[in-house]
Amino acid sequence: GKGLTPAVKENIQPFADEICGFYRPQGRGRRCHVENYLRQIPERHCYFVYPADYPSTEPGYDEAGAFGEQQRRPAIEMIFVYRPETGILETSAHGRKADVESLLDIFCRTILGLPRLPPRPGEPAYDLSGLKKRDFPHPTEVQDAIELVCVKKLRLDLPGSGGRRI
């Protein structure tokens, strides 16, 4: 939604707690650290989220210099960016689509105060499938005096899809 007032530093603990609860059944999410920053022009509320990942053991040295198996508990890194002016929520979170949607739902409920993740629009904004066909019509206006349209290269970066491109 547009113009929502997101929760900030002192009110983001419920978000961290729910992220932990989401990952806990998988054996992860023992802890979760959230950093919140406000960026301007345009206004963006950024949330850097670091839930604990699976623990791992690897050979290494401890603080006293003794060699042995050292346990690490790495963090999963994800980013949520909310733009109040447009109501757009961007995310960089890896995993299955259903898992990412669950994380977005947690964000919408705990940070934006919405009852749940709003439904996606029914149709995509653009249908680019026709561009795959060689005989795709490119209608032009007669007054433009265009004789031929030839698309040699086209790239589409999909927002909020973890860097997916077409």
Side-chain angles (χ1 to χ4, degrees):
K2 282 172 115 174
L4 298 172
T5 303
V8 293
K9 296 179 192 313
E10 55 276 353
N11 297 317
I12 57 177
Q13 192 57 47
F15 177 51
D17 292 344
E18 285 211 32
I19 294 289
C20 286
F22 174 78
Y23 282 110
R24 200 166 287 124
Q26 302 173 18
R28 309 189 281 178
R30 188 172 178 188
R31 292 180 181 83
C32 183
H33 177 75
V34 179
E35 296 175 2
N36 169 232
Y37 301 99
L38 175 61
R39 301 286 190 245
Q40 296 293 344
I41 309 174
E43 181 180 337
R44 301 170 318 279
H45 294 267
C46 305
Y47 298 81
F48 296 84
V49 185
Y50 303 96
D53 203 350
Y54 298 111
S56 65
T57 305
E58 54 190 34
Y61 297 91
D62 65 14
E63 295 298 319
F67 181 77
E69 293 290 316
Q70 305 297 319
Q71 188 173 41
R72 286 184 62 231
R73 193 171 288 274
I76 301 166
E77 182 180 14
M78 58 186 80
I79 303 166
F80 297 85
V81 178
Y82 172 65
R83 299 173 182 263
E85 185 179 308
T86 59
I88 291 175
L89 173 60
E90 299 172 68
T91 186
S92 173
H94 299 286
R96 295 183 346 223
K97 182 178 179 180
D99 289 347
V100 172
E101 296 233 345
S102 294
L103 295 169
L104 289 168
D105 184 69
I106 291 169
F107 183 90
C108 288
R109 287 186 293 101
T110 59
I111 298 296
L112 299 178
L114 297 171
R116 67 187 160 286
L117 175 66
R120 291 184 180 269
E123 295 182 10
Y126 301 98
D127 179 11
L128 302 177
S129 59
L131 294 173
K132 294 178 183 178
K133 300 175 184 170
R134 290 194 177 276
D135 62 344
F136 183 76
H138 296 281
T140 59
E141 299 294 326
V142 175
Q143 64 267 26
D144 292 336
I146 297 173
E147 291 182 28
L148 174 69
V149 174
C150 180
V151 178
K152 292 191 176 228
K153 192 181 241 185
L154 178 69
R155 182 178 93 189
L156 175 66
D157 294 328
L158 300 173
S161 65
R164 244 181 75 214
R165 285 187 174 155
I166 295 176

